[in-house]
Structures are given as structure tokens and as C-alpha cells.
Amino acid sequence: MFYLQAFEDTIRIHPKDQAQPRYELLKFLINNKLTNKIIKDIGLIICCHDITDIFDSHILQNDGFIAVSLNFRAVLFRPFPDEIIIGTILKQDRSGVLINIKFFQEIFISKENLKEKMEYDDQHQLWNWIYEDDDDSDADGDE
């Protein structure tokens, strides 16, 4: 569910902030830029874990900001297929289910991504999982 992912980026430092400790400032700026952003096919960025490389910096001519190229690792939320997630159901309809989990609000799971053998009940307006017992034995024990 949670992963560390390496990234490359260029972060802009405002001239008034250049006196602050560089590592902490860059980590703060990365978090401001990327925390709670969803990157397609990668996941939801939770926070910057650490900065692995800081490369050369240069001053941008048009606004005086300092551009710093760097590599960092971020903590991602990316559930794998068929992973069970515990949450609170907010809403259900024919298109899928909307849930909340402790740290993230309003995750939509489309009907195509629900567990196999799910049926929508129009009368009760909810999804039901149709369980089939693989055991072919008779309930009375007669065979």
C-alpha cells in the first residue's frame, strides 16, 4: 500500500529564503509542491521522505529565483490490485463506491475495479458480493 519512489525535479527557491538551511528548505518546498498530488500510474504522494542528491543551482534571470535540480524519494499511497482497504463507505451507486480512509478522503472505486461477483441491488442501493462456496460437499454430510 505504501511505497518509496525516486523522483527528479527542479525546485524554485525565493531569494528571501536563500539564507535558510538548504536541506530543510528544499524538503519543505518539495512537500508544498507535491504532497496530496496524484501522479497517473504512480500513486498519491504522501510526503518527501529524503533528498538523495542536490545538483547545481542557478539563478533564473527573469525573476531572481534559485532553481535547484535534485533527486528525492517520496512516500506514495498506491494500493495493489485486490488489496483490501478498510474505510467508511460514503456513497454507493451503479457506477461504484465512494469511500474514506483515515488519511485520504473520497476515494472512488469504479464498478470495474470492485471484487468479482459483485451485484448492485437497486432496491437497497448497495453493492453485494455474491459468495459461492467451493466446497461441493452436502450440508448434511451425505455424499
Side-chain angles (χ1 to χ4, degrees):
M1 180 180 304
F2 293 98
Y3 300 90
L4 275 181
Q5 175 80 34
F7 290 95
E8 291 180 27
D9 202 354
T10 299
I11 300 297
R12 295 166 34 101
I13 300 174
H14 194 282
K16 70 176 174 58
D17 296 328
Q18 67 182 342
Q20 293 184 29
R22 186 61 49 106
Y23 184 87
E24 289 80 13
L25 175 62
L26 288 171
K27 199 168 175 183
F28 174 79
L29 293 171
I30 291 167
N31 281 327
N32 276 354
K33 180 178 180 181
L34 296 174
T35 296
N36 293 325
K37 302 287 191 235
I38 297 173
I39 299 178
K40 185 175 170 62
D41 298 327
I42 293 180
L44 169 72
I45 298 180
I46 304 296
C47 67
C48 175
H49 180 267
D50 62 1
I51 298 172
T52 55
D53 294 303
I54 300 174
F55 303 107
D56 292 335
S57 304
H58 57 278
I59 298 173
L60 302 174
Q61 293 181 4
N62 59 342
D63 59 10
F65 277 69
I66 301 163
V68 181
S69 297
L70 49 80
N71 293 338
F72 64 94
R73 293 185 304 168
V75 177
L76 299 177
F77 171 69
R78 180 179 61 215
F80 55 84
D82 297 326
E83 181 171 3
I84 296 172
I85 298 174
I86 297 173
T88 304
I89 296 174
L90 296 176
K91 180 182 172 188
Q92 302 181 61
D93 62 23
R94 284 201 156 279
S95 63
V97 179
L98 188 65
I99 64 169
N100 276 354
I101 56 178
K102 287 184 181 180
F103 63 92
F104 195 63
Q105 306 294 313
E106 298 186 2
I107 298 173
F108 180 71
I109 304 170
S110 67
K111 66 180 179 183
E112 294 81 20
N113 291 318
L114 292 173
K115 190 166 183 64
E116 289 181 17
K117 300 179 183 171
M118 295 290 289
E119 270 183 7
Y120 186 72
D121 181 347
D122 284 314
Q123 181 180 359
H124 295 102
Q125 297 184 346
L126 56 85
W127 285 92
N128 292 313
W129 177 44
I130 308 304
Y131 176 75
E132 294 177 7
D133 190 2
D134 291 336
D135 187 10
D136 291 331
S137 66
D138 188 13
D140 296 330
D142 300 332
E143 296 196 25

